Amino acid sequence: MERLKYENLGTTIGIRLPQNEYKGFSVVARFKPVNENTHFSSDEKIDYSVNLWLKEYTVDDEFKIETQEIDTYTISATSKRIKLEIIKLIEQMLTNNEFNKFVERFTYTYKCFDIGNSLEEGEIIEK
């Protein structure tokens, strides 16, 4: 039997976006050391690969479209500060209105799914 391989997904944090602007949306950040073989102390800066995903947590369908990849960033930080550095990145992106296009794309995709699903359900009922 072939030995199974795994992908190190690192650690994950969720950041709820300001609800007055982005009702129902949060960002999920998954981070891991760029070099998985890095041996470091908690005070040593290393490079982390940070994947950001947009999550819409009010969607409650059986077929969920609940996350959308935003981008991957490299952040240099100590293990003690990586979460704070991710928060700084999110705050900067909010300042620059960078989440607007992702929220619009998510909303459009979900509406398309919802319309298509309604059409499909109608066709099933007619049969």
Side-chain angles (χ1 to χ4, degrees):
M1 180 173 172
E2 184 179 335
R3 174 154 258 170
L4 295 176
K5 296 180 182 172
Y6 68 92
E7 179 183 0
N8 181 2
L9 298 176
T11 307
T12 303
I13 61 171
I15 303 106
R16 194 168 173 169
L17 294 176
Q19 295 302 288
N20 57 334
E21 298 173 63
Y22 302 103
K23 185 173 174 65
F25 287 93
S26 61
V27 173
V28 174
R30 294 183 180 106
F31 59 95
K32 65 180 180 180
V34 170
N35 181 352
E36 289 189 31
N37 297 321
T38 300
H39 298 288
F40 56 92
S41 70
S42 58
D43 295 327
E44 183 182 344
K45 270 190 176 184
I46 64 166
D47 288 338
Y48 288 90
S49 174
V50 180
N51 294 87
L52 300 182
W53 294 78
L54 183 67
K55 179 166 177 40
E56 208 286 347
Y57 51 85
T58 62
V59 174
D60 191 28
D61 293 333
E62 285 184 28
F63 179 77
K64 290 188 177 184
I65 303 173
E66 65 178 5
T67 58
Q68 178 186 92
E69 185 173 16
I70 295 173
D71 209 346
T72 301
Y73 300 87
T74 301
I75 296 178
S76 239
T78 64
S79 63
K80 289 180 180 178
R81 293 202 43 92
I82 184 59
K83 294 175 185 173
L84 295 172
E85 295 301 322
I86 292 171
I87 297 294
K88 285 183 190 177
L89 172 65
I90 302 299
E91 288 172 342
Q92 184 63 43
M93 292 175 76
L94 283 167
T95 299
N96 296 334
N97 297 314
E98 292 181 48
F99 290 107
N100 293 353
K101 66 183 176 188
F102 298 107
V103 169
E104 288 170 10
R105 187 183 317 152
F106 181 94
T107 304
Y108 175 80
T109 301
Y110 187 74
K111 283 181 182 177
C112 289
F113 168 77
D114 206 24
I115 291 168
N117 190 49
S118 294
L119 288 171
E120 182 66 24
E121 285 179 0
E123 288 178 13
I124 291 171
I125 291 171
E126 289 176 8
K127 291 181 181 179

